[in-house]
Amino acid sequence: MDSRIMIVDDETMIREAVKILLQSEGLDIIAASGGEECLDRLRAGFRGVILMDIMMPVMDGWDTIRRIVEQGLYEGNIVVMLTAMDAPGEKMEGLQEYVTDYVTKPFDTNSLLDSLHYYLSLLPTDGDRL
Amino acid sequence: MKQTKPDNCVSADRLAAGLAEIHSLLARISQGDTSLRVDVTAEVDSFGDLKILCNQLADHIQKLNEDAHEMAIGLCEHYDTLNRIALGDFQACAAENSQNELVAKLGELINKESAALTGAISRVQLAEAEKQSQLNFLQTLIDTIPSPIFFKDLNYRYLGCNKAFETYLGFSREQIVGKTLDELWPAELADRYRLQDRALFENPGSQALETPIRYADGTLRDVICNKATFFGSDGSLGGLVGVILDITERKRAEEALVFQNILLSTQQEASIDGILVVDENARILSFNRRFVEIMGIPSQLLETREDEPVLKYVTDRMREPKKFLEKVKYLYQNRQMSCRDEISLCDGKILDRYTVPLLGDEGRYYGRLWSFRDITERKAAEDQARHAYQQLLDIVEFLPDATFVVDKGKRVIAWNRAIEDMTGLKKEDVVGQGDQVYSIPFYGERRPILIDLIDEDPDVVDSNYTNVRRDGRSLLAETHVPSLCNGRDRYLWGIATPLFDKQGNQVGGIESIRDITEHRLAEQERSRLEAQLHHARMMESFMVRLGHDLKTPLTPLFALLPLVRERVTDPDLKNMLDICCKNTVSIKELTDKTRMLVTLYSDIRPYELETVSLYSVVQECLDECSGGMNSKKISCHNEIDPAISVLAAPAQLHELFTNLILNAARYSHENGRVRIVAEECHDTVTVAVIDDGIGLAPQHLESIFDEFFKVDESRHDLEASGLGLSICKRIVQNHHGRIWAESAGLGKGTSIFCAFDRKFKGIQKSEKEMAAHG
């Protein structure tokens, strides 16, 4: 089954926790440890819901979104930002339109799952992609 | 055959023969044969007479010849005598006894004339000798004359010259005399001289021509050639005499004089001063245009060259004519005196008058020079400067900073009121004094201070005085004075600047001293506060980071603990996992609250403010908190007039009332009652959250707003972070409001009041912040 969810976070614990949580719900998920790996996955054809951590070393969440957009990889994806901060920083200016939702860490499991189910339903089906 | 002739024929023949004889006789007599005689017989009577006549003629001629001979001999002798006399033999005498009376007479006459001639010749010889002597004398005389002299006859031929002329031409007199112009001069000069000479001959008299000439030695001289005609003893024009006067030196002297005159007159004219020069008789010798301009004297008055009318004219223009005139007369009487003073004219001009006598080497008085300089503008400028100086002193006097001014010699010339107050030293004790008197009140001794460094070499100052800063020509320094005047420990800031006149000459210096002790203390306080602020910001940053870092590990716990709990069937494990979940939530809330409190330490900007209905926001909070309320069956009453609103940051207001309501509920009893009321009074809106819970001891009324305050320190109430009321206090303070608690005592409920000022419009960004944000 093709993964339709990608968690992008430099924290292994969080990536693993989210993977366990979603897999327990029967959702397939792939993980990327940073922005560059996320871009690689997108170039490889991933399309779906991206759970993007904001604070990451080297390339943070906003830089990653900018690159996604610049490289024409945004189409067909829904981006949900994961943040430990309440307020988005100045770097987000001009990029908010590419973010569908914000989920604050530590997130409530149920509400996260609800959200993910909802956003997955919004994604085009494989037939649509054709 | 012989023919017989008739009578008439015989007579003719005889007549012819007689005529032929007479003819022959006459021919022979005429040829000098005076001795011939003929027979006077004649065939014809008439011929006899004729023959007699011929003979008589021959006799006469013979006699004549003899007389002629006699006379010739006598004449020869006389000729000889005359020749001898002519050759100077005045002793020669002629024979007076000649046969010939005429010759004898002639001899007598010759002897007589000879005697007379001898006397005459002696006189002539004497005269000639005299004349020659005179000529020699004249030649010697003119030879001694250094100027070339020459004589020419009417044919332009040189008759004579002197040695100077020989030198001039480079020829000897012998080579000159008798030569014409053409023989001595190049054609061009000869023509020119001939023209000049001819003009003189045509108009006899004298002629003077100035011309440059070149001497034989090659030197070029300026000369005046004076020529004059001379006349012979008979009154006829004899020629000309010329004298060449070398005026080269005179010309040079004249040119030098002309140059000196031009120089003097130019200097005089170029002078900005009016100049008048008078001679010893007070007659005007010279004046310049500036003098005329300054005095406004009509030119015709000056043309008279009389000083008196000029003096009168000038005197009439003086503001103090009598004094002026007296001074002039005094100076004319005291010829050796020089004088300089100022005189004022009626038209407002002020003149600097300077006069000196014109004295020769031996003190001879030649006159007096008067110089007048218009100093009206300078005087006005001086007045202005004086006025400005006084103004400066006035300004210095009232400067708020302690200020003093020194002149070039470092004598104090101004000591203002502020420095009197600072030092206790009165200006009358300082002004006019030097020798670093100004340092005494600061250091208790005379020593260099900042104002003394303005004259120092900048490099020396920069290397020796590290606390001295340079700003252009000014020096600035801060210093600590442990015992200012009356022993006060002060921090002083000073600035010293050199003072310059218009010409850029340093004329002194000024130093201002400011007591910055309070400023320094305030600065220290500010530094301390800034350090605190920096620390707070560091803390904020730290707390934000901590919040993030706490939330990160909480995330897996939040995600996985509920999952684990669902999969666990053992009730005890479930309970344990519940405890874990509960603690995780507590950590999250504590983290959230801490972070909230930190982020509230920033001003509310005007754009964040909105008019918020108090009733509405309280009602929202009540709805959200209803879960907690219901568990304790607490009744909650929103009694706020819906019309009351405040200008506030909505999110903060929401947080405020959420915290207050939760706090009231937390400390209320089961079935308790919480009321939220509000009232408006002038510009203040006061809201109160009133519970009937456990109440507060008086000593806790204020400390409940402190961070992590808990009434019972030993009790670890996981549900209470201890930050709720601190957050409330911060939010109210952010709105420039006031928060306080009231309680009738323990068990008697608590009321938390929040008063909002309606005038609060938010905090504008500081300039520093605006600059930081571009």
Side-chain angles (χ1 to χ4, degrees), chain A residues 11 13-14 17 20-21 24 55 84-86 104-107 109, chain B residues 544-545 548 551-552 554-556 558-560 562-563 567 588 595:
Chain A
E11 291 288 343
M13 298 279 278
I14 291 178
I20 293 167
L21 176 66
S24 72
M55 286 184 69
M85 306 290 186
D86 293 334
T104 307
K105 293 178 190 174
F107 41 76
T109 309
Chain B
V544 168
R545 185 74 214 178
H548 176 268
K551 282 180 178 181
T552 301
L554 280 174
T555 303
F558 257 71
L560 298 180
L563 198 63
R567 293 183 184 181
K588 178 181 177 292
R595 198 163 170 280

PDB file of all heavy atoms in Angstrom, chain A residues 11 13-14 17 20-21 24 55 84-86 104-107 109, chain B residues 544-545 548 551-552 554-556 558-560 562-563 567 588 595:
ATOM      1  N   GLU A  11      13.460  14.567  15.301  1.00  0.00           N
ATOM      2  CA  GLU A  11      13.455  13.766  16.530  1.00  0.00           C
ATOM      3  C   GLU A  11      12.992  12.349  16.220  1.00  0.00           C
ATOM      4  O   GLU A  11      11.822  12.120  15.847  1.00  0.00           O
ATOM      5  CB  GLU A  11      12.510  14.400  17.560  1.00  0.00           C
ATOM      6  CG  GLU A  11      12.999  15.719  18.109  1.00  0.00           C
ATOM      7  CD  GLU A  11      14.180  15.557  19.055  1.00  0.00           C
ATOM      8  OE1 GLU A  11      14.415  14.423  19.540  1.00  0.00           O
ATOM      9  OE2 GLU A  11      14.878  16.561  19.278  1.00  0.00           O
ATOM     10  N   MET A  13      12.398   9.922  18.230  1.00  0.00           N
ATOM     11  CA  MET A  13      11.349   9.464  19.156  1.00  0.00           C
ATOM     12  C   MET A  13       9.976   9.862  18.637  1.00  0.00           C
ATOM     13  O   MET A  13       9.015   9.097  18.704  1.00  0.00           O
ATOM     14  CB  MET A  13      11.566  10.080  20.538  1.00  0.00           C
ATOM     15  CG  MET A  13      12.876   9.685  21.187  1.00  0.00           C
ATOM     16  SD  MET A  13      12.771   8.077  21.966  1.00  0.00           S
ATOM     17  CE  MET A  13      12.018   8.542  23.514  1.00  0.00           C
ATOM     18  N   ILE A  14       9.887  11.077  18.142  1.00  0.00           N
ATOM     19  CA  ILE A  14       8.595  11.561  17.670  1.00  0.00           C
ATOM     20  C   ILE A  14       8.206  10.829  16.394  1.00  0.00           C
ATOM     21  O   ILE A  14       7.051  10.407  16.229  1.00  0.00           O
ATOM     22  CB  ILE A  14       8.638  13.093  17.460  1.00  0.00           C
ATOM     23  CG1 ILE A  14       8.746  13.767  18.831  1.00  0.00           C
ATOM     24  CG2 ILE A  14       7.414  13.587  16.696  1.00  0.00           C
ATOM     25  CD1 ILE A  14       8.841  15.248  18.823  1.00  0.00           C
ATOM     26  N   ALA A  17       7.078   7.440  17.473  1.00  0.00           N
ATOM     27  CA  ALA A  17       5.801   7.471  18.204  1.00  0.00           C
ATOM     28  C   ALA A  17       4.643   7.673  17.241  1.00  0.00           C
ATOM     29  O   ALA A  17       3.602   7.008  17.331  1.00  0.00           O
ATOM     30  CB  ALA A  17       5.844   8.590  19.242  1.00  0.00           C
ATOM     31  N   ILE A  20       4.050   4.552  15.184  1.00  0.00           N
ATOM     32  CA  ILE A  20       3.346   3.510  15.952  1.00  0.00           C
ATOM     33  C   ILE A  20       1.874   3.861  16.066  1.00  0.00           C
ATOM     34  O   ILE A  20       0.979   3.034  15.852  1.00  0.00           O
ATOM     35  CB  ILE A  20       3.984   3.350  17.349  1.00  0.00           C
ATOM     36  CG1 ILE A  20       5.404   2.775  17.203  1.00  0.00           C
ATOM     37  CG2 ILE A  20       3.125   2.460  18.256  1.00  0.00           C
ATOM     38  CD1 ILE A  20       6.239   2.868  18.472  1.00  0.00           C
ATOM     39  N   LEU A  21       1.641   5.130  16.417  1.00  0.00           N
ATOM     40  CA  LEU A  21       0.256   5.582  16.620  1.00  0.00           C
ATOM     41  C   LEU A  21      -0.571   5.376  15.351  1.00  0.00           C
ATOM     42  O   LEU A  21      -1.680   4.813  15.388  1.00  0.00           O
ATOM     43  CB  LEU A  21       0.265   7.065  17.024  1.00  0.00           C
ATOM     44  CG  LEU A  21      -1.099   7.733  17.178  1.00  0.00           C
ATOM     45  CD1 LEU A  21      -1.864   7.107  18.362  1.00  0.00           C
ATOM     46  CD2 LEU A  21      -0.953   9.235  17.385  1.00  0.00           C
ATOM     47  N   SER A  24      -1.031   1.831  14.275  1.00  0.00           N
ATOM     48  CA  SER A  24      -2.025   1.150  15.119  1.00  0.00           C
ATOM     49  C   SER A  24      -3.436   1.449  14.624  1.00  0.00           C
ATOM     50  O   SER A  24      -4.372   0.708  14.891  1.00  0.00           O
ATOM     51  CB  SER A  24      -1.869   1.582  16.576  1.00  0.00           C
ATOM     52  OG  SER A  24      -2.310   2.907  16.732  1.00  0.00           O
ATOM     53  N   MET A  55      10.759  23.265  13.805  1.00  0.00           N
ATOM     54  CA  MET A  55      12.140  23.465  14.274  1.00  0.00           C
ATOM     55  C   MET A  55      12.990  22.251  13.970  1.00  0.00           C
ATOM     56  O   MET A  55      12.946  21.234  14.675  1.00  0.00           O
ATOM     57  CB  MET A  55      12.144  23.765  15.774  1.00  0.00           C
ATOM     58  CG  MET A  55      11.658  25.171  16.089  1.00  0.00           C
ATOM     59  SD  MET A  55      11.778  25.563  17.815  1.00  0.00           S
ATOM     60  CE  MET A  55      13.527  25.658  18.029  1.00  0.00           C
ATOM     61  N   ALA A  84       6.066  23.080  18.464  1.00  0.00           N
ATOM     62  CA  ALA A  84       6.051  23.173  19.923  1.00  0.00           C
ATOM     63  C   ALA A  84       5.765  24.610  20.341  1.00  0.00           C
ATOM     64  O   ALA A  84       5.492  24.902  21.481  1.00  0.00           O
ATOM     65  CB  ALA A  84       7.397  22.726  20.476  1.00  0.00           C
ATOM     66  N   MET A  85       5.880  25.520  19.378  1.00  0.00           N
ATOM     67  CA  MET A  85       5.613  26.940  19.640  1.00  0.00           C
ATOM     68  C   MET A  85       4.155  27.241  19.298  1.00  0.00           C
ATOM     69  O   MET A  85       3.565  26.594  18.444  1.00  0.00           O
ATOM     70  CB  MET A  85       6.497  27.810  18.737  1.00  0.00           C
ATOM     71  CG  MET A  85       7.972  27.496  18.839  1.00  0.00           C
ATOM     72  SD  MET A  85       8.621  28.003  20.416  1.00  0.00           S
ATOM     73  CE  MET A  85      10.355  27.677  20.171  1.00  0.00           C
ATOM     74  N   ASP A  86       3.645  28.250  19.965  1.00  0.00           N
ATOM     75  CA  ASP A  86       2.277  28.645  19.652  1.00  0.00           C
ATOM     76  C   ASP A  86       2.227  29.547  18.431  1.00  0.00           C
ATOM     77  O   ASP A  86       1.350  29.452  17.594  1.00  0.00           O
ATOM     78  CB  ASP A  86       1.665  29.383  20.846  1.00  0.00           C
ATOM     79  CG  ASP A  86       1.504  28.412  22.002  1.00  0.00           C
ATOM     80  OD1 ASP A  86       1.373  27.202  21.734  1.00  0.00           O
ATOM     81  OD2 ASP A  86       1.552  28.885  23.150  1.00  0.00           O
ATOM     82  N   THR A 104      -0.183  21.499  17.567  1.00  0.00           N
ATOM     83  CA  THR A 104       0.802  21.864  18.586  1.00  0.00           C
ATOM     84  C   THR A 104       1.231  20.620  19.356  1.00  0.00           C
ATOM     85  O   THR A 104       0.400  19.827  19.786  1.00  0.00           O
ATOM     86  CB  THR A 104       0.187  22.887  19.566  1.00  0.00           C
ATOM     87  OG1 THR A 104      -0.342  23.959  18.805  1.00  0.00           O
ATOM     88  CG2 THR A 104       1.232  23.401  20.535  1.00  0.00           C
ATOM     89  N   LYS A 105       2.517  20.521  19.531  1.00  0.00           N
ATOM     90  CA  LYS A 105       3.075  19.417  20.311  1.00  0.00           C
ATOM     91  C   LYS A 105       2.918  19.745  21.788  1.00  0.00           C
ATOM     92  O   LYS A 105       3.103  20.913  22.145  1.00  0.00           O
ATOM     93  CB  LYS A 105       4.549  19.216  19.991  1.00  0.00           C
ATOM     94  CG  LYS A 105       4.883  18.744  18.602  1.00  0.00           C
ATOM     95  CD  LYS A 105       6.406  18.662  18.520  1.00  0.00           C
ATOM     96  CE  LYS A 105       6.901  18.445  17.127  1.00  0.00           C
ATOM     97  NZ  LYS A 105       8.355  18.508  17.048  1.00  0.00           N
ATOM     98  N   PRO A 106       2.744  18.856  22.677  1.00  0.00           N
ATOM     99  CA  PRO A 106       2.374  17.466  22.359  1.00  0.00           C
ATOM    100  C   PRO A 106       0.903  17.403  21.954  1.00  0.00           C
ATOM    101  O   PRO A 106       0.052  17.983  22.636  1.00  0.00           O
ATOM    102  CB  PRO A 106       2.634  16.752  23.682  1.00  0.00           C
ATOM    103  CG  PRO A 106       2.499  17.795  24.742  1.00  0.00           C
ATOM    104  CD  PRO A 106       2.869  19.092  24.127  1.00  0.00           C
ATOM    105  N   PHE A 107       0.636  16.738  20.896  1.00  0.00           N
ATOM    106  CA  PHE A 107      -0.717  16.778  20.345  1.00  0.00           C
ATOM    107  C   PHE A 107      -1.629  15.710  20.990  1.00  0.00           C
ATOM    108  O   PHE A 107      -1.164  14.695  21.495  1.00  0.00           O
ATOM    109  CB  PHE A 107      -0.697  16.607  18.833  1.00  0.00           C
ATOM    110  CG  PHE A 107       0.285  15.576  18.372  1.00  0.00           C
ATOM    111  CD1 PHE A 107       0.012  14.211  18.506  1.00  0.00           C
ATOM    112  CD2 PHE A 107       1.494  15.969  17.799  1.00  0.00           C
ATOM    113  CE1 PHE A 107       0.932  13.283  18.073  1.00  0.00           C
ATOM    114  CE2 PHE A 107       2.408  15.023  17.380  1.00  0.00           C
ATOM    115  CZ  PHE A 107       2.139  13.675  17.511  1.00  0.00           C
ATOM    116  N   THR A 109      -3.910  12.783  20.765  1.00  0.00           N
ATOM    117  CA  THR A 109      -3.896  11.663  19.828  1.00  0.00           C
ATOM    118  C   THR A 109      -5.164  11.606  18.975  1.00  0.00           C
ATOM    119  O   THR A 109      -5.111  11.504  17.742  1.00  0.00           O
ATOM    120  CB  THR A 109      -3.767  10.329  20.599  1.00  0.00           C
ATOM    121  OG1 THR A 109      -2.655  10.441  21.488  1.00  0.00           O
ATOM    122  CG2 THR A 109      -3.525   9.173  19.658  1.00  0.00           C
TER     123      THR A 109
ATOM    124  N   VAL B 544      11.362  29.546  26.541  1.00  0.00           N
ATOM    125  CA  VAL B 544      10.763  29.139  25.269  1.00  0.00           C
ATOM    126  C   VAL B 544      11.432  27.872  24.773  1.00  0.00           C
ATOM    127  O   VAL B 544      10.769  26.918  24.347  1.00  0.00           O
ATOM    128  CB  VAL B 544      10.916  30.277  24.218  1.00  0.00           C
ATOM    129  CG1 VAL B 544      10.563  29.771  22.823  1.00  0.00           C
ATOM    130  CG2 VAL B 544      10.035  31.464  24.598  1.00  0.00           C
ATOM    131  N   ARG B 545      12.735  27.883  24.899  1.00  0.00           N
ATOM    132  CA  ARG B 545      13.490  26.709  24.446  1.00  0.00           C
ATOM    133  C   ARG B 545      13.148  25.493  25.311  1.00  0.00           C
ATOM    134  O   ARG B 545      12.940  24.381  24.802  1.00  0.00           O
ATOM    135  CB  ARG B 545      14.982  27.037  24.554  1.00  0.00           C
ATOM    136  CG  ARG B 545      15.889  25.978  24.028  1.00  0.00           C
ATOM    137  CD  ARG B 545      15.862  25.960  22.523  1.00  0.00           C
ATOM    138  NE  ARG B 545      16.024  24.612  22.033  1.00  0.00           N
ATOM    139  CZ  ARG B 545      16.008  24.272  20.748  1.00  0.00           C
ATOM    140  NH1 ARG B 545      15.793  25.213  19.835  1.00  0.00           N
ATOM    141  NH2 ARG B 545      16.178  23.039  20.372  1.00  0.00           N
ATOM    142  N   HIS B 548       9.805  24.179  24.432  1.00  0.00           N
ATOM    143  CA  HIS B 548       9.900  23.377  23.205  1.00  0.00           C
ATOM    144  C   HIS B 548      10.527  22.020  23.496  1.00  0.00           C
ATOM    145  O   HIS B 548      10.030  20.968  23.086  1.00  0.00           O
ATOM    146  CB  HIS B 548      10.723  24.131  22.171  1.00  0.00           C
ATOM    147  CG  HIS B 548      10.951  23.356  20.912  1.00  0.00           C
ATOM    148  ND1 HIS B 548      12.062  22.562  20.729  1.00  0.00           N
ATOM    149  CD2 HIS B 548      10.191  23.234  19.800  1.00  0.00           C
ATOM    150  CE1 HIS B 548      11.994  21.986  19.544  1.00  0.00           C
ATOM    151  NE2 HIS B 548      10.850  22.387  18.959  1.00  0.00           N
ATOM    152  N   LYS B 551       8.236  19.861  25.400  1.00  0.00           N
ATOM    153  CA  LYS B 551       7.108  19.374  24.602  1.00  0.00           C
ATOM    154  C   LYS B 551       7.541  18.262  23.643  1.00  0.00           C
ATOM    155  O   LYS B 551       6.765  17.354  23.338  1.00  0.00           O
ATOM    156  CB  LYS B 551       6.482  20.512  23.805  1.00  0.00           C
ATOM    157  CG  LYS B 551       5.589  21.392  24.672  1.00  0.00           C
ATOM    158  CD  LYS B 551       5.001  22.505  23.850  1.00  0.00           C
ATOM    159  CE  LYS B 551       4.066  23.363  24.674  1.00  0.00           C
ATOM    160  NZ  LYS B 551       3.482  24.423  23.891  1.00  0.00           N
ATOM    161  N   THR B 552       8.753  18.358  23.218  1.00  0.00           N
ATOM    162  CA  THR B 552       9.223  17.344  22.265  1.00  0.00           C
ATOM    163  C   THR B 552       9.188  15.935  22.873  1.00  0.00           C
ATOM    164  O   THR B 552       8.588  15.031  22.280  1.00  0.00           O
ATOM    165  CB  THR B 552      10.616  17.715  21.745  1.00  0.00           C
ATOM    166  OG1 THR B 552      10.518  18.990  21.118  1.00  0.00           O
ATOM    167  CG2 THR B 552      11.147  16.703  20.745  1.00  0.00           C
ATOM    168  N   LEU B 554       7.443  15.114  25.366  1.00  0.00           N
ATOM    169  CA  LEU B 554       6.062  14.832  25.785  1.00  0.00           C
ATOM    170  C   LEU B 554       5.238  14.268  24.620  1.00  0.00           C
ATOM    171  O   LEU B 554       4.277  13.526  24.828  1.00  0.00           O
ATOM    172  CB  LEU B 554       5.391  16.109  26.298  1.00  0.00           C
ATOM    173  CG  LEU B 554       5.728  16.527  27.742  1.00  0.00           C
ATOM    174  CD1 LEU B 554       5.109  17.877  28.039  1.00  0.00           C
ATOM    175  CD2 LEU B 554       5.213  15.484  28.732  1.00  0.00           C
ATOM    176  N   THR B 555       5.636  14.653  23.425  1.00  0.00           N
ATOM    177  CA  THR B 555       4.851  14.255  22.258  1.00  0.00           C
ATOM    178  C   THR B 555       4.724  12.728  22.128  1.00  0.00           C
ATOM    179  O   THR B 555       3.594  12.217  21.983  1.00  0.00           O
ATOM    180  CB  THR B 555       5.449  14.872  20.984  1.00  0.00           C
ATOM    181  OG1 THR B 555       5.485  16.267  21.177  1.00  0.00           O
ATOM    182  CG2 THR B 555       4.611  14.536  19.757  1.00  0.00           C
ATOM    183  N   PRO B 556       5.816  11.992  22.208  1.00  0.00           N
ATOM    184  CA  PRO B 556       5.652  10.527  22.133  1.00  0.00           C
ATOM    185  C   PRO B 556       4.819   9.970  23.291  1.00  0.00           C
ATOM    186  O   PRO B 556       4.030   9.043  23.103  1.00  0.00           O
ATOM    187  CB  PRO B 556       7.093  10.009  22.226  1.00  0.00           C
ATOM    188  CG  PRO B 556       7.960  11.150  21.883  1.00  0.00           C
ATOM    189  CD  PRO B 556       7.224  12.377  22.263  1.00  0.00           C
ATOM    190  N   PHE B 558       2.438  11.578  24.890  1.00  0.00           N
ATOM    191  CA  PHE B 558       1.035  11.878  24.587  1.00  0.00           C
ATOM    192  C   PHE B 558       0.481  10.935  23.520  1.00  0.00           C
ATOM    193  O   PHE B 558      -0.689  10.556  23.561  1.00  0.00           O
ATOM    194  CB  PHE B 558       0.920  13.336  24.099  1.00  0.00           C
ATOM    195  CG  PHE B 558       0.388  14.245  25.144  1.00  0.00           C
ATOM    196  CD1 PHE B 558       1.177  14.570  26.254  1.00  0.00           C
ATOM    197  CD2 PHE B 558      -0.891  14.770  25.064  1.00  0.00           C
ATOM    198  CE1 PHE B 558       0.674  15.398  27.240  1.00  0.00           C
ATOM    199  CE2 PHE B 558      -1.386  15.600  26.049  1.00  0.00           C
ATOM    200  CZ  PHE B 558      -0.606  15.925  27.142  1.00  0.00           C
ATOM    201  N   ALA B 559       1.342  10.599  22.582  1.00  0.00           N
ATOM    202  CA  ALA B 559       0.868   9.770  21.468  1.00  0.00           C
ATOM    203  C   ALA B 559       0.729   8.304  21.876  1.00  0.00           C
ATOM    204  O   ALA B 559      -0.236   7.627  21.485  1.00  0.00           O
ATOM    205  CB  ALA B 559       1.831   9.888  20.290  1.00  0.00           C
ATOM    206  N   LEU B 560       1.671   7.890  22.698  1.00  0.00           N
ATOM    207  CA  LEU B 560       1.751   6.441  22.912  1.00  0.00           C
ATOM    208  C   LEU B 560       1.065   5.961  24.190  1.00  0.00           C
ATOM    209  O   LEU B 560       0.555   4.835  24.224  1.00  0.00           O
ATOM    210  CB  LEU B 560       3.214   5.998  22.906  1.00  0.00           C
ATOM    211  CG  LEU B 560       3.960   6.241  21.596  1.00  0.00           C
ATOM    212  CD1 LEU B 560       5.393   5.780  21.681  1.00  0.00           C
ATOM    213  CD2 LEU B 560       3.258   5.530  20.435  1.00  0.00           C
ATOM    214  N   PRO B 562      -1.821   6.793  25.671  1.00  0.00           N
ATOM    215  CA  PRO B 562      -3.225   6.339  25.502  1.00  0.00           C
ATOM    216  C   PRO B 562      -3.317   5.028  24.725  1.00  0.00           C
ATOM    217  O   PRO B 562      -4.164   4.183  25.040  1.00  0.00           O
ATOM    218  CB  PRO B 562      -3.847   7.490  24.705  1.00  0.00           C
ATOM    219  CG  PRO B 562      -2.981   8.653  24.974  1.00  0.00           C
ATOM    220  CD  PRO B 562      -1.608   8.097  25.118  1.00  0.00           C
ATOM    221  N   LEU B 563      -2.406   4.852  23.785  1.00  0.00           N
ATOM    222  CA  LEU B 563      -2.414   3.622  22.979  1.00  0.00           C
ATOM    223  C   LEU B 563      -2.070   2.413  23.840  1.00  0.00           C
ATOM    224  O   LEU B 563      -2.752   1.373  23.775  1.00  0.00           O
ATOM    225  CB  LEU B 563      -1.372   3.791  21.858  1.00  0.00           C
ATOM    226  CG  LEU B 563      -1.472   2.867  20.675  1.00  0.00           C
ATOM    227  CD1 LEU B 563      -2.795   3.088  19.940  1.00  0.00           C
ATOM    228  CD2 LEU B 563      -0.308   3.147  19.702  1.00  0.00           C
ATOM    229  N   ARG B 567      -4.438  -0.922  25.221  1.00  0.00           N
ATOM    230  CA  ARG B 567      -4.051  -2.306  24.989  1.00  0.00           C
ATOM    231  C   ARG B 567      -3.826  -3.085  26.287  1.00  0.00           C
ATOM    232  O   ARG B 567      -3.662  -4.299  26.274  1.00  0.00           O
ATOM    233  CB  ARG B 567      -2.781  -2.349  24.131  1.00  0.00           C
ATOM    234  CG  ARG B 567      -3.066  -1.833  22.753  1.00  0.00           C
ATOM    235  CD  ARG B 567      -1.868  -1.928  21.862  1.00  0.00           C
ATOM    236  NE  ARG B 567      -2.149  -1.331  20.557  1.00  0.00           N
ATOM    237  CZ  ARG B 567      -1.295  -1.294  19.570  1.00  0.00           C
ATOM    238  NH1 ARG B 567      -0.085  -1.799  19.723  1.00  0.00           N
ATOM    239  NH2 ARG B 567      -1.621  -0.765  18.419  1.00  0.00           N
ATOM    240  N   LYS B 588       2.581  19.223  30.731  1.00  0.00           N
ATOM    241  CA  LYS B 588       2.228  20.013  29.549  1.00  0.00           C
ATOM    242  C   LYS B 588       1.632  21.361  29.964  1.00  0.00           C
ATOM    243  O   LYS B 588       2.012  22.422  29.444  1.00  0.00           O
ATOM    244  CB  LYS B 588       1.242  19.247  28.670  1.00  0.00           C
ATOM    245  CG  LYS B 588       0.793  20.027  27.445  1.00  0.00           C
ATOM    246  CD  LYS B 588      -0.202  19.239  26.638  1.00  0.00           C
ATOM    247  CE  LYS B 588      -0.695  20.054  25.442  1.00  0.00           C
ATOM    248  NZ  LYS B 588      -1.497  21.176  25.840  1.00  0.00           N
ATOM    249  N   ARG B 595       5.349  29.177  29.636  1.00  0.00           N
ATOM    250  CA  ARG B 595       5.619  29.815  28.372  1.00  0.00           C
ATOM    251  C   ARG B 595       4.695  31.010  28.154  1.00  0.00           C
ATOM    252  O   ARG B 595       5.106  32.074  27.661  1.00  0.00           O
ATOM    253  CB  ARG B 595       5.451  28.814  27.236  1.00  0.00           C
ATOM    254  CG  ARG B 595       6.126  29.296  26.005  1.00  0.00           C
ATOM    255  CD  ARG B 595       6.343  28.218  25.021  1.00  0.00           C
ATOM    256  NE  ARG B 595       6.784  28.902  23.814  1.00  0.00           N
ATOM    257  CZ  ARG B 595       5.944  29.486  23.007  1.00  0.00           C
ATOM    258  NH1 ARG B 595       4.663  29.425  23.232  1.00  0.00           N
ATOM    259  NH2 ARG B 595       6.410  30.138  21.956  1.00  0.00           N
TER     260      ARG B 595
END
